[in-house]
Amino acid sequence: MSGNSEHSPRRVDSGPDLERTMFFSDAVFAIAMTLVAVDIKVPEVPAGQLGQAVAEQLPEFAAYVLSFAVTAAYWLNHHRLFRLLRGYTGRLQQLNLVLLLFVALLGYATDMLAFYGDQVLGVVVYAAALGMIGTANTGLWIYCRHVRLFAADVDPRLPAYATVRAPVTPAVFFASIPVAFLFGPQAAILSWLAIIIISSLLHIAGRQHAGSE
């Protein structure tokens, strides 16, 4: 009896079944990404002014496309991670909830960029929100690697590469915050292109390293 009670907390707090965590996470990502589009309203103007009204919404569409693309990349990364795990722990679920906490703020952050992208605070709020999503995502990879949650058949080079690649996006977003204060919001937005450049260089370096082995 004492032996069973001694091990029961571990069975409650961990296990091999990841489906519920994955389904819940997918739902939060899907709702957050959908609400970003829902926030874009059809202009209610006379027919003769419709073209101008749609043109004035271009910042909203641009913010939507950017948010969708970045969050989709985070979701793909999250999906790959959980497909590589052999199970879950209570700490993993807590870290995952932190990630979803910031994902749920995506709509607010996108509206800040869409309507106040020409102001420092609008860009800073957006960069901070996307940076926090990326930081939480990076924390998941680091934790899973640290506690050896990856399945036995996973190439150890994959989580090692991911823990190098994952911090790039949040690092660029956070670095753009002082850029916004020093050089203006447009300079900060342009600095986000560094995500593509750095990620591409890391991808090329990773392929070359794999080919040399």
Side-chain angles (χ1 to χ4, degrees):
M1 181 70 178
S2 60
N4 292 335
S5 61
E6 181 180 343
H7 294 285
S8 59
R10 184 173 182 179
R11 288 201 298 268
V12 170
D13 198 43
S14 61
D17 184 12
L18 287 163
E19 288 190 358
R20 292 191 64 185
T21 301
M22 293 175 65
F23 288 156
F24 178 71
S25 301
D26 288 347
V28 174
F29 269 99
I31 292 171
M33 295 167 74
T34 302
L35 289 177
V36 171
V38 171
D39 284 342
I40 302 177
K41 306 298 182 182
V42 175
E44 297 181 3
V45 296
Q49 301 176 17
L50 183 59
Q52 179 182 351
V54 172
E56 291 174 353
Q57 287 185 303
L58 289 179
E60 293 182 64
F61 284 105
Y64 160 69
V65 171
L66 176 61
S67 294
F68 190 94
V70 174
T71 310
Y74 280 140
W75 175 80
L76 288 171
N77 193 277
H78 182 275
H79 182 74
R80 294 189 189 103
L81 169 62
F82 276 76
R83 288 296 183 187
L84 297 175
L85 302 181
R86 56 178 173 79
Y88 71 90
T89 65
R91 183 67 65 191
L92 174 68
Q93 291 183 318
Q94 290 170 359
L95 292 173
N96 190 60
L97 288 172
V98 171
L99 169 66
L100 300 180
L101 167 71
F102 294 111
V103 169
L105 287 174
L106 179 65
Y108 176 79
T110 303
D111 282 347
M112 287 293 290
L113 182 67
F115 296 108
Y116 303 102
D118 58 343
Q119 299 183 31
V120 171
L121 184 58
V123 173
V124 167
V125 169
Y126 185 82
L130 273 291
M132 290 307 299
I133 295 175
T135 300
N137 176 67
T138 302
L140 283 173
W141 279 96
I142 293 174
Y143 171 77
C144 291
R145 187 183 179 198
H146 177 70
V147 300
R148 305 178 186 274
L149 269 182
F150 291 98
D153 59 347
V154 174
D155 187 335
R157 292 176 298 182
L158 179 56
Y161 172 77
T163 53
V164 173
R165 167 64 184 85
V168 171
T169 300
V172 171
F173 275 118
F174 283 133
S176 73
I177 293 176
V179 172
F181 283 107
L182 293 173
F183 305 105
Q186 296 304 315
I189 292 173
L190 287 175
S191 73
W192 297 341
L193 293 173
I195 296 172
I196 300 174
I197 298 172
I198 298 173
S199 297
S200 299
L201 292 175
L202 286 175
H203 181 70
I204 294 171
R207 288 175 63 90
Q208 291 178 342
H209 179 70
S212 64
E213 294 183 352

